[in-house]
Amino acid sequence: MGNSGVEYTTLPNANYQQDMQYVFRPCSWILGSIGIWPLAIRGIGRNISKIAIIICNFALSFAIVPCILHIVYDEKDLNIRLKLSGLLGFCLMSMMKYCVLALRRPKIMRCIEHVKSDWWQVKFSSDRELMLKYAGIGRKLSIISASSMYIAGFIYHTILPFCTVHEVNNQTIRPLVYPTYSKFYQTQMSPVYEIVYLAHCVCGYTMYSVTAGLCGLAAIFVTHACGQIDIIASRLEDLSQGKNFEKSSNVNQRIANIVKSHVQVLRFSVAVEEILQEVCLLEFVSSIFTMCLPEYYCIVDWQDSDTVGLTTYFLLFISFCFNMYILCYTGELLMEKSSQIGSMCFMIDWYQLPPKSIRSLILVIAMSSHPIKISAGNMFDLSLATFGNVLKTSLAYLSFLRTLVM
């Protein structure tokens, strides 16, 4: 993959290390902890990502399989089955998204190297300010997504299970986050209970990290592409003067650099879309149900005056909504920014350019006539309209669910 931006012979970005920490730190902490983000560790530590992936997948399977057996063979109450089905669906979808991200690690690493290369080549302070502006947006989205998911998940795993009394055959049992099959009686014995509970917490951390990491990854890559598009727009505005170009360049060289930068942004966006399309489809499908079921749980807990349950499921609902909104917002932002390049070609002082040079802008206009889009499995374009459709669909399913159960 090529490097976006104009190639210069001057010194690279003096603030490179500081900028990289600012851009990547939130997402690298989240995805690095579950083995998706590449870690610069030598020796035995080079395999730490593979070890983390194995441990996290084992923790997910450790919670999912007994939960399936409990729903099929043990649980008879319809309301509890619905609650457990929502939990099970979220676990399964998280495991599928995790596997897709693990398979896409090589492409994720290439996109990360592309972003690093772009920051390394920054020359003008105005370019760095534009990139920092969009990097700040991506960083804030990553932090808010992670905070909302981890807060709701912490309450769900450490507070909610201990707020109600759990009884089986008139005997009080110690609660677990995810139910286990009744044949596994030893789960109530120490230290087995503590080990199972810890494994459930690892499972929860993995699920929330996958969701928050996906949103953070999309936010970082998409906002970076938007920053590069804004730099191209600033080059177009300065095409006739050449203040933000090499002093020795002529108009034709400037246009060639603009076209080259535009092509590289398009290639980067295509690579990002390849990384995100499967996980975005899984997120799209799971969001309809994971947003519908917490709404139903909130209604049930409101009727039962269960304040802790109501608060927990409301926070989970807000987290799911916000994560889906981040994906749709970044898709909308990229679509809007990429379509502005063609319009910018009409708005510049093109009449000050040589006639032959003006014709060269036709290529830029032609490329921008098809805006860059992030799709969910090549089925749905991620946009704010898509987010509205997800909300409406989840409410429709909620209405159906209330009619069926209540």
Side-chain angles (χ1 to χ4, degrees), residues 1-14 16 19-20 113-125 127-128 131 224 228 231 235 260-261 264:
M1 187 181 298
N3 301 329
S4 60
V6 183
E7 295 184 0
Y8 300 106
T9 57
T10 55
L11 293 174
N13 180 13
Y16 173 75
D19 292 342
M20 287 299 91
E113 291 302 319
H114 183 104
V115 174
K116 289 181 178 180
S117 180
D118 286 344
W119 280 95
W120 178 259
Q121 297 182 60
V122 172
K123 175 182 177 182
F124 298 104
S125 59
D127 293 348
R128 181 171 177 267
M131 294 172 70
H224 177 76
Q228 295 301 299
I231 291 175
R235 296 282 191 272
K260 180 181 177 181
S261 299
Q264 289 166 349

Side-chain angles (χ1 to χ4, degrees), residues 48 114 117 139 171 182 185 232 291 293 303 336:
I48 195 168
H114 183 104
S117 180
R139 179 186 173 90
Q171 292 184 348
S182 59
Y185 293 112
I232 293 172
M291 289 166 62
L293 291 172
Q303 293 174 345
E336 179 184 343

Side-chain angles (χ1 to χ4, degrees), residues 364-388:
V364 179
I365 297 172
M367 288 191 297
S368 63
S369 62
H370 300 285
I372 306 169
K373 297 178 181 179
I374 302 295
S375 68
N378 289 325
M379 298 173 63
F380 310 97
D381 292 331
L382 295 182
S383 63
L384 295 180
T386 303
F387 176 72

Side-chain angles (χ1 to χ4, degrees), residues 111-248:
C111 287
I112 292 171
E113 291 302 319
H114 183 104
V115 174
K116 289 181 178 180
S117 180
D118 286 344
W119 280 95
W120 178 259
Q121 297 182 60
V122 172
K123 175 182 177 182
F124 298 104
S125 59
S126 58
D127 293 348
R128 181 171 177 267
E129 289 173 3
L130 282 174
M131 294 172 70
L132 284 173
K133 171 188 171 183
Y134 285 97
I137 295 173
R139 179 186 173 90
K140 289 176 183 176
L141 292 175
S142 301
I143 292 173
I144 295 174
S145 172
S147 300
S148 62
M149 286 302 301
Y150 286 139
I151 290 172
F154 177 80
I155 296 174
Y156 186 85
H157 282 73
T158 60
I159 298 177
L160 186 62
F162 299 95
C163 289
T164 56
V165 178
H166 299 263
E167 292 186 355
V168 175
N169 297 326
N170 295 324
Q171 292 184 348
T172 302
I173 63 172
R174 291 188 286 183
L176 289 169
V177 183
Y178 308 101
T180 58
Y181 187 37
S182 59
K183 301 298 182 181
F184 302 152
Y185 293 112
Q186 65 270 25
T187 55
Q188 290 296 308
M189 299 170 57
S190 295
V192 177
Y193 172 81
E194 287 76 12
I195 295 173
V196 172
Y197 182 80
L198 178 61
H200 287 179
C201 290
V202 174
C203 172
Y205 176 80
T206 302
M207 291 190 299
Y208 301 129
S209 296
V210 168
T211 303
L214 166 62
C215 294
L217 204 63
I220 287 174
F221 288 158
V222 171
T223 53
H224 177 76
C226 291
Q228 295 301 299
I229 291 172
D230 263 18
I231 291 175
I232 293 172
S234 69
R235 296 282 191 272
L236 283 169
E237 290 180 347
D238 186 47
L239 187 57
S240 60
Q241 302 296 324
K243 295 179 181 178
N244 289 338
F245 292 89
E246 288 180 294
K247 294 181 180 180
S248 60

Side-chain angles (χ1 to χ4, degrees), residues 321-342:
C321 282
F322 190 78
N323 289 327
M324 191 63 203
Y325 176 79
I326 288 177
L327 294 175
C328 293
Y329 170 75
T330 52
E332 181 84 13
L333 182 64
L334 185 59
M335 197 186 311
E336 179 184 343
K337 282 292 176 184
S338 60
S339 62
Q340 290 178 355
I341 298 294

Side-chain angles (χ1 to χ4, degrees), residues 32-36 47-57 98:
S33 64
I34 57 175
I36 301 299
N47 297 317
I48 195 168
S49 294
K50 295 179 181 178
I51 296 171
I53 291 174
I54 293 172
I55 292 174
C56 291
N57 275 303
Y98 187 38

